[in-house]
Amino acid sequence: MKSRRLLSMLCATVMVTSAVTACAPTADSGATTGSTAVDTGDTTVDDTGDTGADTGDTGADTSATEGKEYSDDEIVNWTFFGGMPGSEKNDGNEVMEIIAKKTGVRVKETWLTGQTVEEAVGTIVASGDYPTFIDGGDGMMQLYDAGALIPWDDYIEKYPNIKELYSPAEWDRFRMDDGHIYWANQFGNTYGESKQTTHNDEAFWIQVKVLEWANYPKVETLDDYFKLLEDYAAAHPDDGVIPYTCLCEDWRYFCLENAPEFLDGYPNDGSVIVDTSSGTPTIVDYNTTPTAKMYFSKLNEEYKKGIVDSEFATQTYDEYIAKLSTGNVLGMCDQWWDFAYTVNDVFKQQGLDTQGCNYVPLGLVAKPGMEQMWHTYGDTQNVASGLGVTTACEDPDRAFAFINQLLDQDIHNLRFWGVEGVDYNVDENGLFFRTEDMRMKCADTEYKASHLCDYSYFPQWGGTSRDGKNAMTPTEQTSEFFDSLAEPLVKCFEAYGVTTYPEFIGSSKTKTTGVWFPMYSYSNNMTSSTEGGIAWTKMGECKHKWLPQIVMADNFDSAWEDYMKAYNACNPQAFLDEMQTELDRRVAAAEAAGE
C-alpha cells in the first residue's frame, strides 16, 4: 500500500520546483487506414472520442471546420520522417483514426534505422523524395540548404495555437539567414503552471534496489557512486548484474563523453562550458579539463575491475535498451528520454518495477562539497532543430492547420491521455486519473501500437491543461504520478524526502541558466563552411574514436596522451573561438533587449 506520508507531500506539491522540459520524449509513431470504433466492454466510444463527459474548456477556436467530422474519402494521407529511432503504429490505430476524423489528416510516421541522421537526410535530399513533415535532427541545415522546407512565417500569424508556442522574440530565434522561419522545436513548452515530475535530462542513474540495499546512503561524488556499485555487485555475485553500462553508438555517445561538464557543476550547454567566475562569460572546453581526465581515468579503473560492461563500446542502441530492460543493469549515465519511456514500460509489464529495478537520478560532482547543476531544464529553447513542412506538401495551409489542431485541447488530450473511459477516467472534480488496468494497457507495446497515438514529434505542451485542473500529460499529473509508482520507488522517495524526480536530482528554480543557454543550439547547426565548423566535426569524430579506447586502455596515461595529441590536431581553438563569438553576440543581444 502506498504511504500516506508521500501522498500528503505530493498533494502539497502543486507547483513542482522545476519547469517542464522535453528534449526528446517517446518516439512512438505510425500510420492508419480505415475507420474503427473502440469497444471498451462497458462503453463503446465512437470515432469522435466523445463519451459525453464535460472535460472543461478545450481552448481557442482555431479552425473554421471545428466540429466537422471528415469522411474517409475526405481524409488525406501524409507522411512524417523522424531522424531518430521510433516505433511505428499499426494500420487502423484507433486514436489516430479519431484524430483523422477530427482533422481530416492521417500521418504515416517512419523513423531512423541503420543510418546516422545526417546520412538519412542526405539520402532524402539526394533523391528529392521528401515526406510531408520532417524532423531531421542534426540534418535540418541540409534540408534548409537544399531549399526543401516551407517557411512558417505567414502560418504562425494565421494559426493561434502555433503562434502561442513561443513569444515573438523566441520565434525570431528560429529565423535563418534569409529572414524566414523553417521549423519549430516541438518540446520544452509549458502551458500555465508547471507540473513537472520527471527529470527528463541527463544524470547518473541507479536502480532503487541498490539504494535500498545500502540503506539509502548519500551519493555525492563519482567515487561514491562506483563504490556503491562495486559493493552491491560483490554482495550479489550470482544475480547476473551488470554494474555499469554505457552507450557509444552514433550521436548517443554523449552518454560517455559529456559528463565532465556536469561533474564540474555546470549546466548542459552541450558542447562547451560557459564559465562566469571572472564576471565575463567565457567559453571553456570541457574535453580537456582536469575533471575530464579524472572521469575517464575512473571509467578505465572500473573497466579493469569488471564493473563497466565489457560490451559497452560496441553495443547498439537496441542492444543497450534490451540490456536495461532485463533489470540487470545497476547504473548508467544517460538522458531520461533516451531510455525511460521504453524501459519503464517493460519493467511494469514484467513486474520488475516491484523488484526495485526502476532508476532514479543522481547529481554527482567531481569533489565533495561542489555545487552541482544536473538541472531539470524548463522551457529550454533549442532552435537547431524541430518540425518542418517540406516542399512535397501539396497543401501547406492544411498542413499548418493540422499542426494547429493537434494543439487544440481535446486533440491534445487524445494524443497524450487517450480516450476517456478507455484510457483514463474523470472524477467528480474533473480530474483525470487512470486505473491500474489502464496503466498496464498504456504500457503495453501492442496496445500502444494499435490504440494510442501521441504524434510525439509534433508540437506539444507540458504544464497545465486549459481547464486549469489537469496536467497536459499523465506523467505530470501529480496524483497519477504518485499512483503509478511501484512500492520500491515510493520507499526511496520517502527515504530521501522528495516527491518528484527533479527534487531527487536537486533541481530547483534557484539554479538559473544564462541568457546564452543552451550553446548547443548554435554548435548543432555548424557546418563545414567555417573553420570552426570543420574543427567541430573533426573533434566529434576524434572523441567518438578515442574515448572508448581510453576507457579500455591497458595504460591509461599513455592512451590519454595519445588522445590529446589527436584531439589538438583537430584545431579545437577554431571551434572555441567561434563559440565565444556567438556567446558574446547572445549576451549583447540580451542586454540590448533588457533581459
Side-chain angles (χ1 to χ4, degrees), residues 502-513:
E503 290 177 13
F504 207 105
I505 199 69
S507 181
S508 73
K509 284 190 171 182
T510 61
K511 297 176 180 178
T512 57
T513 51

Side-chain angles (χ1 to χ4, degrees), residues 79-116:
T79 55
F80 164 87
F81 173 74
M84 64 293 299
S87 301
E88 295 190 15
K89 300 298 185 189
N90 294 346
D91 289 347
N93 177 283
E94 291 164 338
V95 170
M96 185 181 290
E97 288 305 310
I98 296 171
I99 294 174
K101 290 284 190 181
K102 287 175 171 286
T103 64
V105 177
R106 184 186 294 116
V107 179
K108 166 72 172 179
E109 296 173 309
T110 57
W111 305 90
L112 184 69
T113 56
Q115 294 176 292
T116 68

Side-chain angles (χ1 to χ4, degrees), residues 256 340 362 372:
L256 173 66
L362 300 175
Q372 64 89 13

Side-chain angles (χ1 to χ4, degrees), residues 62-340:
T62 60
S63 173
T65 58
E66 184 175 2
K68 172 181 171 62
E69 179 174 310
Y70 289 83
S71 62
D72 287 348
D73 60 358
E74 291 177 307
I75 296 172
V76 297
N77 290 287
W78 283 340
T79 55
F80 164 87
F81 173 74
M84 64 293 299
S87 301
E88 295 190 15
K89 300 298 185 189
N90 294 346
D91 289 347
N93 177 283
E94 291 164 338
V95 170
M96 185 181 290
E97 288 305 310
I98 296 171
I99 294 174
K101 290 284 190 181
K102 287 175 171 286
T103 64
V105 177
R106 184 186 294 116
V107 179
K108 166 72 172 179
E109 296 173 309
T110 57
W111 305 90
L112 184 69
T113 56
Q115 294 176 292
T116 68
V117 65
E118 291 88 352
E119 290 169 345
V121 172
T123 300
I124 291 171
V125 170
S127 70
D129 185 15
Y130 296 106
T132 316
F133 304 97
I134 191 167
D135 183 336
D138 290 346
M140 291 304 289
M141 283 300 294
Q142 293 174 258
L143 295 163
Y144 169 69
D145 290 339
L149 301 173
I150 293 172
W152 284 53
D153 307 63
D154 293 341
Y155 304 105
I156 293 170
E157 291 302 317
K158 182 172 182 179
Y159 292 109
N161 285 348
I162 294 176
K163 184 176 181 179
E164 73 174 340
L165 283 169
Y166 295 102
S167 69
E170 289 171 331
W171 275 116
D172 281 342
R173 292 173 191 156
F174 287 105
R175 293 195 185 279
M176 304 302 290
D177 293 341
D178 65 0
H180 292 296
I181 296 168
Y182 290 93
W183 59 78
N185 198 272
Q186 310 92 317
F187 312 116
N189 288 302
T190 300
Y191 193 93
E193 180 182 310
S194 170
K195 291 182 175 288
Q196 179 73 348
T197 56
T198 57
H199 174 69
N200 202 44
D201 298 275
E202 194 158 352
F204 282 90
W205 300 86
I206 194 166
Q207 289 185 327
V208 293
K209 68 184 180 187
V210 179
L211 297 173
E212 181 179 14
W213 172 82
N215 198 27
Y216 305 108
K218 180 179 180 180
V219 188
E220 182 182 10
T221 67
L222 195 66
D223 285 341
D224 294 340
Y225 178 73
F226 277 108
K227 179 65 163 59
L228 182 54
L229 297 183
E230 288 179 30
D231 290 347
Y232 184 92
H236 299 80
D238 299 323
D239 288 1
V241 300
I242 300 171
Y244 186 86
T245 195
C246 192
L247 185 60
C248 301
E249 186 185 31
D250 196 24
W251 56 273
R252 284 186 170 91
Y253 85 109
F254 68 77
C255 298
L256 173 66
E257 69 92 26
N258 69 356
E261 64 179 321
F262 303 116
L263 293 169
D264 265 338
Y266 290 96
N268 187 17
D269 272 297
S271 53
V272 292
I273 285 171
V274 179
D275 181 23
T276 59
S277 60
S278 67
T280 300
T282 304
I283 293 292
V284 174
D285 187 353
Y286 65 69
N287 298 289
T288 57
T289 63
T291 294
K293 185 174 181 181
M294 177 277 293
Y295 163 68
F296 287 106
S297 176
K298 184 66 178 177
L299 291 182
N300 176 267
E301 173 189 334
E302 298 298 332
Y303 181 81
K304 290 175 179 176
K305 292 179 181 178
I307 299 302
V308 174
D309 181 9
S310 62
E311 299 174 340
F312 86 95
T314 57
Q315 66 185 344
T316 65
Y317 177 69
D318 288 343
E319 291 168 341
Y320 168 78
I321 291 298
K323 193 173 292 182
L324 295 185
S325 298
T326 65
N328 292 331
V329 178
L330 305 182
M332 70 287 181
C333 183
D334 201 348
Q335 298 261 356
W336 166 273
W337 51 260
D338 198 36
F339 73 91

